Amino acid sequence: MTQANELPLQIRRNGLDPAEELARARDGEGVVRVETPWGLPGYLVCRHEDVRRVLTDPARFSSALTPPRGAVPLDPDELARLRAGQLIWSDPPEHTWLRRMLTPEFTVRRMRRLEPRIIEIVQTALDDLERAGKPADLVAHFALPVPSLVICELLGVPHADRAEFQDRSTRLLDTSLPAEELTAVRREDRAYMAGLVARAQADPGEDMLGMLVREHGDDLSTDELIGVAGQLLLAGHETTSNMLGLGTLALLRHPDQLAMIREDPARIEPAVEELLRWLSISQSPPPRITTTEVEIAGQVIPAGAMVICSLPAANRDPAFIGDPDRLDVTREAAGHVAFGHGLHHCLGAPLARMEMRIAFPLLLQRFPGLALADPYEQVDFRVFSFVFGLNSLRVT
């Protein structure tokens, strides 16, 4: 189950744990040279303090200068359309302007309005999981459908299109995809989102996309609306679905921790934070490009270099938290960087937390005998991806 050494260092895993060589890089030099999927040499930053420093300094570590991963040569107009509305590829002031429009929709108070509907969606998924019999695939019947349906309803995306956009999302995050195929998938995805935006512009509904058209249609270009909608759709189901699958696996591997959540659902809030820290499914935020020469962990990095932050290494840094490799759902894991840090901290974090706080206790209470149907060594991990996850998880 240990991942192949030919994988980029920043996405190597050993089962649920980061690869040992990643921990050695953090505890040794702290910054190591790596090859990147962008075809450029890069510097991998591994320590918690250094990762936070990179993510809070857009003046020296730019997101706007990062080239699209694996893109075949694009004409300037297509490249501009591809980057329009993409928060992850922007720096202030553009980033500040875009985020200010979206932040009100993702406040904790606004997310609480969704709670009754999320409970309904989770209960329906649990019914489906039970009907699937024994064994059943927890990913297909629970982990994927819950966040997918939530984000579809939030954005106004037809739920019938779920399988189609899930397939595209998986391919967009696949580090092994050839450049030509990746560019083709990007174009497919953009064409799909363009259709959604056109429908919203013609008849804006009560969903988030309709809100953006009504309230910001004069400020946002069509290309920016397409970019914003596409990014929210991708991020809104990929990360949470993989957290639900991997989080369940982690708890099944730690039955004492699972029992504490089942017996006292009030423990779920710190448990979610600890699972986020311990799993760190987002392997790294989008790389930054240095705008000037910088020094990190004693290593000089030249201007124009690519800097990649390892979130799994940072979240298991002994300098950040004691006994970092132990899963302990009772501890406070405040300060983890599972959602990133700084101005690019995940916009949808309140929604993701709410979905997990609802879904895990309901799952564990509904199925007190939940167990793996196959040996742990046969678990089907999703390896070649920027977002760590599971292809399937057979349970009984």
Side-chain angles (χ1 to χ4, degrees):
M1 193 162 50
T2 300
Q3 313 307 341
N5 287 334
E6 63 267 18
L7 285 172
L9 177 59
Q10 58 269 27
I11 67 169
R12 291 182 202 168
R13 296 271 179 160
N14 183 13
L16 290 167
D17 299 313
E20 293 177 6
E21 53 266 44
L22 194 56
R24 286 197 297 269
R26 178 196 61 223
D27 300 336
E29 295 176 314
V31 176
V32 294
R33 291 288 298 270
V34 292
E35 293 299 320
T36 72
W38 287 261
L40 299 171
Y43 294 80
L44 183 64
V45 178
C46 302
R47 294 174 184 163
H48 185 267
E49 181 181 356
D50 295 331
V51 164
R52 285 168 65 100
R53 175 188 162 199
V54 171
L55 298 182
T56 52
D57 189 356
R60 293 195 295 170
F61 302 94
S62 170
S63 298
L65 296 176
T66 302
R69 175 178 63 91
V72 297
L74 302 174
D75 67 69
D77 288 342
E78 183 174 4
L79 184 58
R81 289 195 297 272
L82 182 67
R83 298 181 71 102
Q86 295 282 343
L87 283 165
I88 60 172
W89 285 344
S90 63
D91 292 331
E94 180 190 6
H95 178 276
T96 310
W97 171 70
L98 280 169
R99 189 165 179 122
R100 188 178 295 129
M101 293 182 189
L102 295 168
T103 297
E105 294 301 309
F106 286 97
T107 60
V108 173
R109 185 179 65 177
R110 189 71 61 92
M111 290 300 102
R112 282 181 182 149
R113 297 180 190 173
L114 298 175
E115 185 170 355
R117 178 57 183 143
I118 294 175
I119 292 173
E120 288 179 6
I121 289 171
V122 171
Q123 296 285 19
T124 299
L126 293 175
D127 292 342
D128 184 48
L129 184 62
E130 186 168 21
R131 282 194 298 269
K134 304 174 187 179
D137 183 359
L138 184 125
V139 171
H141 294 285
F142 177 72
L144 268 176
V146 168
S148 294
L149 186 51
V150 170
I151 198 65
C152 280
E153 292 190 0
L154 194 62
L155 283 174
V157 176
H159 195 241
D161 296 348
R162 189 185 76 194
E164 179 186 342
F165 74 68
Q166 281 177 352
D167 175 66
R168 279 197 307 271
S169 298
T170 299
R171 288 185 289 156
L172 284 169
L173 294 167
D174 188 344
T175 63
S176 68
L177 211 64
E180 294 79 5
E181 188 175 345
L182 179 60
T183 300
V185 175
R186 281 202 184 105
R187 287 169 174 160
E188 286 175 27
D189 191 61
R190 194 178 183 285
Y192 174 77
M193 298 312 302
L196 291 181
V197 167
R199 288 199 292 273
Q201 288 172 324
D203 183 20
E206 296 304 313
D207 51 75
M208 191 179 297
L209 196 50
M211 177 278 298
L212 286 172
V213 169
R214 284 195 308 274
E215 298 183 13
H216 304 289
D218 294 335
D219 304 315
L220 289 167
S221 68
T222 296
D223 285 333
E224 286 167 335
L225 282 168
I226 292 169
V228 167
Q231 188 172 339
L232 290 175
L233 183 59
L234 175 64
H237 81 276
E238 269 294 327
T239 49
T240 308
S241 65
N242 284 297
M243 271 301 303
L244 290 175
L246 285 169
T248 302
L249 175 60
L251 292 172
L252 289 173
R253 293 284 292 168
H254 297 81
D256 57 327
Q257 306 294 299
L258 184 154
M260 283 190 278
I261 298 172
R262 176 183 288 134
E263 292 163 10
D264 183 7
R267 292 180 183 268
I268 190 59
E269 197 161 322
V272 163
E273 298 308 312
E274 174 69 348
L275 286 166
L276 285 163
R277 178 200 70 82
W278 196 75
L279 290 167
S280 297
I281 63 163
S282 292
Q283 316 270 25
S284 63
R288 275 40 173 187
I289 302 295
T290 52
T291 60
T292 185
E293 182 179 277
V294 295
E295 183 177 328
I296 304 176
Q299 179 155 345
V300 175
I301 300 175
M306 183 167 282
V307 174
I308 301 169
C309 293
S310 172
L311 303 185
N315 277 333
R316 296 222 190 171
D317 187 347
F320 158 57
I321 199 164
D323 200 4
D325 293 325
R326 179 171 59 90
L327 179 66
D328 179 0
V329 299
T330 66
R331 70 166 143 200
E332 296 293 334
H336 69 73
V337 290
F339 284 121
H341 186 64
L343 78 163
H344 284 280
H345 181 271
C346 177
L347 185 68
L351 176 60
R353 285 184 166 109
M354 173 172 284
E355 291 179 74
M356 286 184 277
R357 288 170 185 166
I358 292 170
F360 282 127
L362 289 178
L363 171 70
L364 300 180
Q365 290 163 10
R366 176 76 169 267
F367 303 114
L370 190 69
L372 293 180
D374 303 305
Y376 175 65
E377 291 72 22
Q378 296 177 16
V379 169
D380 188 11
F381 288 102
R382 189 171 74 172
V383 178
F384 292 94
S385 180
F386 287 105
V387 178
F388 184 48
L390 297 166
N391 292 314
S392 63
L393 185 67
R394 283 161 35 97
V395 295
T396 186

